[in-house]
Amino acid sequence: HDCLPVYFRQRWPSSRRKTRFTGGVERTLVAVKPDGVQRRYVGQIIQRFEKRGFKLVGLKMLQASDGLLSQHYRELVKKPFYPNLVDYMTSGPVVAMVWEGLNVVQSSRRMVGPTNPAEAPAGTVRGDLSLHVSRNVVHASDSVEGAEREIKLWFEGKELLNWECYDHSLTYKEDK
């Protein structure tokens, strides 16, 4: 709390910074895929989530391994397109992020849009930035349970930060 600059400590006293919000606060995995990284969309994607009011609690750039991908895409391993998916996901770096917020899983899926960019509305990440279903720029967890599983695959617990965002009490309605 004392790590906040003096300006923020004066404007948001500790009593407001410690307010707890319950119900619907979740974490989700969002990953910018190799085509999104290559096309330099990482900053734009981060900006969309920040503008929505979500809090970034984990971020890293990595080269995804075959082992990680086989666990991440475990329900697709036997599909005929799986080898192409692995080739694509290992073709360059991936930027993995964990976002936290009220109903962040469902909201993120709406923000990202359908898997097929041809079906993704304008204003969604895929509707605005994707070219083809096999190059759809970004991944977002599809359920709270899926998010929990995926976050554990991509991040070690110590890589996720618990921090208080100074504008949290302005962004979220307080539960009393």
Side-chain angles (χ1 to χ4, degrees), residues 114-122 126-127 130-133 136:
T115 303
N116 186 346
E119 299 168 2
R126 291 176 176 150
S130 296
L131 302 172
H132 188 271
V133 69
N136 61 13

Side-chain angles (χ1 to χ4, degrees), residues 96-147:
M97 300 172 273
V98 177
W99 291 93
E100 182 178 278
L102 200 60
N103 301 311
V104 71
V105 175
Q106 182 180 12
S107 296
S108 295
R109 293 293 291 184
R110 274 198 230 108
M111 290 170 60
V112 166
T115 303
N116 186 346
E119 299 168 2
T124 64
V125 174
R126 291 176 176 150
D128 293 346
L129 307 176
S130 296
L131 302 172
H132 188 271
V133 69
S134 69
R135 301 289 184 271
N136 61 13
V137 179
V138 68
H139 165 82
S141 300
D142 64 358
S143 66
V144 173
E145 299 77 21

